[in-house]
Amino acid sequence: MLFKNTIILCGLAAFMQVNAQQAPSVTLKEAAAFPVGFAIDPVRVKNSEPFRRTVLEQADGITATNCMKPSRIARQKGVYDFDQADQLIDFAIANGKRVHGHTFVWYIDSAPGWMKQIRDSTELENALKNYIQAVGTHFKGKVASWDVVNEAFDNKTGAVRQDSVDQDGKTLLNVGGILGKDYVARMFQYAHQADPGALLFYNEYDQEKNAGKLNAVLGMVADFKKRGIPIHGLGLQMHINVNTPDAGIENALKKLAETGLLIHISELDISMNTARTKPFQPTAEQLEKQYRKYKFVADAYKRLVPEKQQFGITTWGIGDADSWIPGFCKCEDYPLPFDKEYRAKKAFAGFAEGLQSK
Ligand code: XIL
């Protein structure tokens, strides 16, 4: 009987270890010497007590997952709906959290339908200029920083995107094709005019694995500096997986930091389901790899980004139930530091350990 109980207890201990749901001894904001943030939306803040509590306990800052995108704020041309964003920002400010605005211009989902229909360059330029003016002014003084342009560079060529449809035939905002490649610079100028106190970021994905994209970003920064275009920071989205090579992460952090700009790991999540299967249950080995990758990312950021350029690390969601990855990969995955009940995972421990590394 004693033997059987011991086996049960050992089995339970192994299960607990895999899921690592013991209460952590430190919070992320205590562990980090720079701001740690979560991408969140106001509905979860309102409806989920554990979600809200985790934001309050763990984060120094927030990014709006969706509610500050043009598709939400300007569903109709010239009509601005700030309700959701205002709710989120009031919550953040009342609780002393820094707000990062995401995003003024994005070629994909976030552009409203009416904007995607515009073909005339003057009309589109004015639509974007007016949007940035209205929204930047509305949030002035409340938003510390903005992703001004998101994902401008093409995955294959590294040139400014000029596609009007994606591979599935979905309409895109062909801002590069209609306005020309220098539109990115003009959007930064409009953002600066709207809120001269806001820190302005360019945000991009895959810089840790796509040399062409990384070089495009570095080239853009060099060009902006030469021409006096206002830019203060660079966002690395870092939607990575447990097998993403460490060397690529280090290379991107190092090269981007050499610009002297603020560096934001802006949308971190670390997938385990690299085969994109459904269903998917992570093995102990995959959970261990996720733990190590979170630790590596936080440690590499500390090592390679000079302190005065450390804008922070933001994860895209808090718990696995918030993640956009399952919808995107049409598979199951668990890419975040907290589980679906907002209990700290092993990945959380890795993140906290990396943040505390010397
Ligand atoms: C995603 C959101 O998480 C989803 O809810 C939404 O349906 C699509 O956008 N890169 C970005 C983010 O810059 O804005 C995206 O967020 C994830 C990829």
Side-chain angles (χ1 to χ4, degrees), residues 250-275:
E250 288 184 331
N251 179 54
L253 286 170
K254 198 164 152 293
K255 295 227 170 93
L256 293 171
E258 278 166 11
T259 62
L261 298 182
L262 295 166
I263 303 296
H264 185 198
I265 294 186
S266 55
E267 307 188 9
L268 181 64
D269 47 32
I270 305 181
S271 301
M272 291 185 283
N273 187 1
T274 49

mmCIF file of all heavy atoms in Angstrom, residues 250-275:
data_model
loop_
_atom_site.group_PDB
_atom_site.id
_atom_site.type_symbol
_atom_site.label_atom_id
_atom_site.label_comp_id
_atom_site.label_asym_id
_atom_site.label_seq_id
_atom_site.Cartn_x
_atom_site.Cartn_y
_atom_site.Cartn_z
ATOM 1 N N GLU A 250 20.517 36.256 -31.272
ATOM 2 C CA GLU A 250 21.627 37.109 -30.828
ATOM 3 C C GLU A 250 22.036 38.097 -31.917
ATOM 4 O O GLU A 250 22.274 39.270 -31.645
ATOM 5 C CB GLU A 250 22.838 36.240 -30.458
ATOM 6 C CG GLU A 250 22.628 35.480 -29.174
ATOM 7 C CD GLU A 250 23.852 34.693 -28.722
ATOM 8 O OE1 GLU A 250 24.651 34.280 -29.577
ATOM 9 O OE2 GLU A 250 23.999 34.486 -27.502
ATOM 10 N N ASN A 251 22.101 37.594 -33.140
ATOM 11 C CA ASN A 251 22.505 38.442 -34.261
ATOM 12 C C ASN A 251 21.544 39.627 -34.441
ATOM 13 O O ASN A 251 21.968 40.776 -34.585
ATOM 14 C CB ASN A 251 22.554 37.575 -35.527
ATOM 15 C CG ASN A 251 22.949 38.369 -36.756
ATOM 16 O OD1 ASN A 251 23.983 39.037 -36.762
ATOM 17 N ND2 ASN A 251 22.116 38.319 -37.785
ATOM 18 N N ALA A 252 20.246 39.336 -34.392
ATOM 19 C CA ALA A 252 19.260 40.411 -34.582
ATOM 20 C C ALA A 252 19.347 41.424 -33.442
ATOM 21 O O ALA A 252 19.352 42.647 -33.674
ATOM 22 C CB ALA A 252 17.851 39.823 -34.677
ATOM 23 N N LEU A 253 19.425 40.937 -32.218
ATOM 24 C CA LEU A 253 19.486 41.862 -31.073
ATOM 25 C C LEU A 253 20.729 42.749 -31.168
ATOM 26 O O LEU A 253 20.664 43.965 -30.955
ATOM 27 C CB LEU A 253 19.505 41.085 -29.751
ATOM 28 C CG LEU A 253 18.172 40.464 -29.318
ATOM 29 C CD1 LEU A 253 18.375 39.518 -28.145
ATOM 30 C CD2 LEU A 253 17.157 41.554 -28.943
ATOM 31 N N LYS A 254 21.837 42.126 -31.515
ATOM 32 C CA LYS A 254 23.108 42.848 -31.554
ATOM 33 C C LYS A 254 23.085 43.913 -32.658
ATOM 34 O O LYS A 254 23.378 45.085 -32.415
ATOM 35 C CB LYS A 254 24.214 41.831 -31.831
ATOM 36 C CG LYS A 254 25.587 42.291 -31.492
ATOM 37 C CD LYS A 254 26.514 41.065 -31.428
ATOM 38 C CE LYS A 254 27.928 41.437 -31.775
ATOM 39 N NZ LYS A 254 28.161 41.840 -33.144
ATOM 40 N N LYS A 255 22.681 43.502 -33.856
ATOM 41 C CA LYS A 255 22.709 44.445 -34.986
ATOM 42 C C LYS A 255 21.695 45.569 -34.780
ATOM 43 O O LYS A 255 21.988 46.730 -35.061
ATOM 44 C CB LYS A 255 22.419 43.702 -36.289
ATOM 45 C CG LYS A 255 23.498 42.688 -36.652
ATOM 46 C CD LYS A 255 23.903 42.811 -38.100
ATOM 47 C CE LYS A 255 25.141 41.992 -38.428
ATOM 48 N NZ LYS A 255 24.824 40.660 -38.929
ATOM 49 N N LEU A 256 20.524 45.233 -34.286
ATOM 50 C CA LEU A 256 19.516 46.280 -34.084
ATOM 51 C C LEU A 256 19.964 47.228 -32.972
ATOM 52 O O LEU A 256 19.776 48.441 -33.070
ATOM 53 C CB LEU A 256 18.149 45.658 -33.787
ATOM 54 C CG LEU A 256 17.542 44.881 -34.973
ATOM 55 C CD1 LEU A 256 16.306 44.106 -34.548
ATOM 56 C CD2 LEU A 256 17.198 45.815 -36.142
ATOM 57 N N ALA A 257 20.594 46.681 -31.933
ATOM 58 C CA ALA A 257 21.062 47.535 -30.833
ATOM 59 C C ALA A 257 22.178 48.478 -31.313
ATOM 60 O O ALA A 257 22.309 49.591 -30.792
ATOM 61 C CB ALA A 257 21.545 46.677 -29.666
ATOM 62 N N GLU A 258 22.933 48.045 -32.299
ATOM 63 C CA GLU A 258 24.011 48.912 -32.818
ATOM 64 C C GLU A 258 23.489 50.208 -33.441
ATOM 65 O O GLU A 258 24.245 51.152 -33.635
ATOM 66 C CB GLU A 258 24.859 48.139 -33.850
ATOM 67 C CG GLU A 258 25.904 47.253 -33.191
ATOM 68 C CD GLU A 258 26.529 46.215 -34.133
ATOM 69 O OE1 GLU A 258 26.313 46.301 -35.361
ATOM 70 O OE2 GLU A 258 27.212 45.324 -33.607
ATOM 71 N N THR A 259 22.206 50.261 -33.728
ATOM 72 C CA THR A 259 21.635 51.514 -34.252
ATOM 73 C C THR A 259 21.577 52.581 -33.155
ATOM 74 O O THR A 259 21.383 53.752 -33.441
ATOM 75 C CB THR A 259 20.187 51.301 -34.757
ATOM 76 O OG1 THR A 259 19.384 50.880 -33.634
ATOM 77 C CG2 THR A 259 20.108 50.272 -35.871
ATOM 78 N N GLY A 260 21.674 52.159 -31.900
ATOM 79 C CA GLY A 260 21.567 53.106 -30.783
ATOM 80 C C GLY A 260 20.122 53.398 -30.393
ATOM 81 O O GLY A 260 19.862 54.125 -29.431
ATOM 82 N N LEU A 261 19.163 52.822 -31.129
ATOM 83 C CA LEU A 261 17.749 53.079 -30.820
ATOM 84 C C LEU A 261 17.274 52.173 -29.674
ATOM 85 O O LEU A 261 17.938 51.206 -29.308
ATOM 86 C CB LEU A 261 16.884 52.811 -32.061
ATOM 87 C CG LEU A 261 17.147 53.680 -33.297
ATOM 88 C CD1 LEU A 261 16.164 53.315 -34.411
ATOM 89 C CD2 LEU A 261 17.030 55.170 -32.965
ATOM 90 N N LEU A 262 16.107 52.507 -29.136
ATOM 91 C CA LEU A 262 15.475 51.644 -28.132
ATOM 92 C C LEU A 262 15.110 50.315 -28.796
ATOM 93 O O LEU A 262 14.721 50.294 -29.973
ATOM 94 C CB LEU A 262 14.196 52.304 -27.601
ATOM 95 C CG LEU A 262 14.407 53.606 -26.828
ATOM 96 C CD1 LEU A 262 13.062 54.323 -26.657
ATOM 97 C CD2 LEU A 262 15.041 53.324 -25.470
ATOM 98 N N ILE A 263 15.228 49.237 -28.046
ATOM 99 C CA ILE A 263 14.904 47.919 -28.592
ATOM 100 C C ILE A 263 13.787 47.309 -27.751
ATOM 101 O O ILE A 263 13.901 47.186 -26.532
ATOM 102 C CB ILE A 263 16.144 46.991 -28.582
ATOM 103 C CG1 ILE A 263 17.314 47.632 -29.363
ATOM 104 C CG2 ILE A 263 15.787 45.612 -29.130
ATOM 105 C CD1 ILE A 263 17.083 47.848 -30.846
ATOM 106 N N HIS A 264 12.712 46.912 -28.456
ATOM 107 C CA HIS A 264 11.543 46.326 -27.789
ATOM 108 C C HIS A 264 11.316 44.924 -28.352
ATOM 109 O O HIS A 264 11.087 44.788 -29.553
ATOM 110 C CB HIS A 264 10.320 47.204 -28.090
ATOM 111 C CG HIS A 264 9.054 46.812 -27.388
ATOM 112 N ND1 HIS A 264 7.820 47.246 -27.821
ATOM 113 C CD2 HIS A 264 8.822 46.069 -26.286
ATOM 114 C CE1 HIS A 264 6.884 46.764 -27.001
ATOM 115 N NE2 HIS A 264 7.464 46.052 -26.067
ATOM 116 N N ILE A 265 11.429 43.904 -27.514
ATOM 117 C CA ILE A 265 10.904 42.600 -27.953
ATOM 118 C C ILE A 265 9.417 42.736 -27.738
ATOM 119 O O ILE A 265 8.927 42.756 -26.605
ATOM 120 C CB ILE A 265 11.536 41.431 -27.169
ATOM 121 C CG1 ILE A 265 13.027 41.344 -27.514
ATOM 122 C CG2 ILE A 265 10.818 40.120 -27.508
ATOM 123 C CD1 ILE A 265 13.761 40.150 -26.921
ATOM 124 N N SER A 266 8.690 42.891 -28.836
ATOM 125 C CA SER A 266 7.358 43.488 -28.741
ATOM 126 C C SER A 266 6.197 42.505 -28.713
ATOM 127 O O SER A 266 5.094 42.868 -28.320
ATOM 128 C CB SER A 266 7.167 44.453 -29.910
ATOM 129 O OG SER A 266 7.390 43.783 -31.137
ATOM 130 N N GLU A 267 6.421 41.245 -29.161
ATOM 131 C CA GLU A 267 5.278 40.319 -29.265
ATOM 132 C C GLU A 267 5.702 38.889 -28.961
ATOM 133 O O GLU A 267 5.250 37.939 -29.610
ATOM 134 C CB GLU A 267 4.669 40.385 -30.674
ATOM 135 C CG GLU A 267 4.306 41.787 -31.119
ATOM 136 C CD GLU A 267 3.539 41.845 -32.432
ATOM 137 O OE1 GLU A 267 3.115 40.793 -32.945
ATOM 138 O OE2 GLU A 267 3.363 42.959 -32.946
ATOM 139 N N LEU A 268 6.550 38.708 -27.983
ATOM 140 C CA LEU A 268 7.156 37.393 -27.742
ATOM 141 C C LEU A 268 6.135 36.287 -27.466
ATOM 142 O O LEU A 268 5.219 36.448 -26.659
ATOM 143 C CB LEU A 268 8.123 37.503 -26.557
ATOM 144 C CG LEU A 268 8.875 36.234 -26.159
ATOM 145 C CD1 LEU A 268 9.817 35.763 -27.261
ATOM 146 C CD2 LEU A 268 9.677 36.471 -24.869
ATOM 147 N N ASP A 269 6.288 35.190 -28.190
ATOM 148 C CA ASP A 269 5.675 33.911 -27.820
ATOM 149 C C ASP A 269 6.551 32.809 -28.402
ATOM 150 O O ASP A 269 7.260 33.028 -29.379
ATOM 151 C CB ASP A 269 4.194 33.772 -28.242
ATOM 152 C CG ASP A 269 3.896 34.190 -29.664
ATOM 153 O OD1 ASP A 269 4.764 34.032 -30.539
ATOM 154 O OD2 ASP A 269 2.776 34.675 -29.909
ATOM 155 N N ILE A 270 6.539 31.640 -27.764
ATOM 156 C CA ILE A 270 7.444 30.566 -28.170
ATOM 157 C C ILE A 270 6.647 29.277 -28.351
ATOM 158 O O ILE A 270 6.254 28.616 -27.388
ATOM 159 C CB ILE A 270 8.592 30.385 -27.140
ATOM 160 C CG1 ILE A 270 9.335 31.726 -26.924
ATOM 161 C CG2 ILE A 270 9.550 29.280 -27.607
ATOM 162 C CD1 ILE A 270 10.507 31.682 -25.948
ATOM 163 N N SER A 271 6.381 28.939 -29.620
ATOM 164 C CA SER A 271 5.589 27.759 -29.956
ATOM 165 C C SER A 271 6.351 26.477 -29.661
ATOM 166 O O SER A 271 7.573 26.438 -29.801
ATOM 167 C CB SER A 271 5.262 27.738 -31.451
ATOM 168 O OG SER A 271 4.558 28.869 -31.804
ATOM 169 N N MET A 272 5.605 25.445 -29.303
ATOM 170 C CA MET A 272 6.217 24.115 -29.123
ATOM 171 C C MET A 272 5.804 23.174 -30.244
ATOM 172 O O MET A 272 6.536 22.253 -30.583
ATOM 173 C CB MET A 272 5.775 23.523 -27.777
ATOM 174 C CG MET A 272 6.366 24.248 -26.584
ATOM 175 S SD MET A 272 5.938 23.453 -25.027
ATOM 176 C CE MET A 272 4.252 23.999 -24.828
ATOM 177 N N ASN A 273 4.636 23.409 -30.825
ATOM 178 C CA ASN A 273 4.079 22.491 -31.828
ATOM 179 C C ASN A 273 4.640 22.813 -33.206
ATOM 180 O O ASN A 273 3.941 23.330 -34.073
ATOM 181 C CB ASN A 273 2.548 22.610 -31.804
ATOM 182 C CG ASN A 273 1.874 21.590 -32.692
ATOM 183 O OD1 ASN A 273 2.532 20.770 -33.333
ATOM 184 N ND2 ASN A 273 0.552 21.650 -32.739
ATOM 185 N N THR A 274 5.915 22.478 -33.408
ATOM 186 C CA THR A 274 6.574 22.854 -34.670
ATOM 187 C C THR A 274 6.001 22.065 -35.856
ATOM 188 O O THR A 274 6.082 22.516 -36.984
ATOM 189 C CB THR A 274 8.098 22.639 -34.574
ATOM 190 O OG1 THR A 274 8.327 21.334 -34.046
ATOM 191 C CG2 THR A 274 8.752 23.656 -33.660
ATOM 192 N N ALA A 275 5.408 20.893 -35.591
ATOM 193 C CA ALA A 275 4.802 20.111 -36.675
ATOM 194 C C ALA A 275 3.361 20.564 -36.947
ATOM 195 O O ALA A 275 2.714 20.083 -37.880
ATOM 196 C CB ALA A 275 4.819 18.631 -36.324
#
